Amino acid sequence: MAIMMPWGRVGSNLLLSMIRTAFPSSETRAVNEPFKRGMNAEQQIDLFKKFYRRRDAEERLIIAKYSVRLIADKAALARQFSEHGVRLVRQRRANLVKAAVSQLRGKLYADLSEKQSGRRRWGVPAKERPLPPVALDPKRFVEVLRGMVSSDEELMRFAPDCPILDIEYEQISEGPEQVFSDLLDWLEVVPQRAPEIIFAKATPDDLTQAVPNLEALRDAANAAGFEQFDAMFDG
């Protein structure tokens, strides 16, 4: 199985953590974004082949999470999915405004956690408080939003000849346990125990509770030609 994302903040860490807590560690093998910047297509495909070719006797789920933006040759990689029998989960977020806000707040939280503990964390542990309300730079917000529009289009064009399951963040937000159950049914795998939810929601659905200058972000987005996303600021 592979998880393909257009960017972060789509619920992939939550879903992956639920899988890890529902199976003994010996039965799962997972890697988070193995393709690094600067890798060429040959290096990526070689890494892909090595990861999926290896299989220990006990392993029931082999999972890699990829960012579509880092793929050097999408057509060549798509062929590998079919050849290796890899099932693809495409994770995205329909509300791109909330995605951009969450991405910027996620970076701020990562910066803060690194300063406080020396460990850079993007996900908020369930027992910790998320980032408080904070103003965001409108110019940077528009840059992130523009990149997300492009990456989202790239993701939906990535359609290898293999089983594909599309999961939206909104589904996970409304019912992570149901999404998890549907995913394992699709994979035809039975969990060993109930999954745990170890991450808290980092940004509230009501963006006014997270971004004091939300209207400035709305004005900047409209001025940049993203009027079609205006309703996303309200939910």
Side-chain angles (χ1 to χ4, degrees), residues 85-112:
V86 178
R87 292 178 174 237
L88 173 62
V89 175
R90 295 187 301 195
Q91 281 196 250
R92 63 183 295 273
R93 192 166 182 162
N95 191 318
L96 299 186
V97 166
K98 287 185 176 181
V101 167
S102 183
Q103 181 72 22
L104 290 169
R105 283 174 52 84
K107 184 180 184 305
L108 292 174
Y109 181 81
D111 292 342
L112 180 63

Side-chain angles (χ1 to χ4, degrees), residues 4-15 89-103 105 124 152 155 165-177 179 199-207 235:
M4 188 71 68
M5 316 172 296
W7 56 79
R9 323 309 289 176
V10 294
S12 59
N13 283 336
L14 175 61
L15 196 59
V89 175
R90 295 187 301 195
Q91 281 196 250
R92 63 183 295 273
R93 192 166 182 162
N95 191 318
L96 299 186
V97 166
K98 287 185 176 181
V101 167
S102 183
Q103 181 72 22
R105 283 174 52 84
V124 181
D152 188 56
L155 175 70
L165 177 66
D166 288 318
I167 298 177
E168 294 195 354
Y169 173 86
E170 289 76 9
Q171 295 172 269
I172 297 176
S173 182
E174 291 175 5
E177 293 88 354
V179 172
F199 291 111
K201 189 172 177 60
T203 298
D205 285 326
D206 182 356
L207 293 182

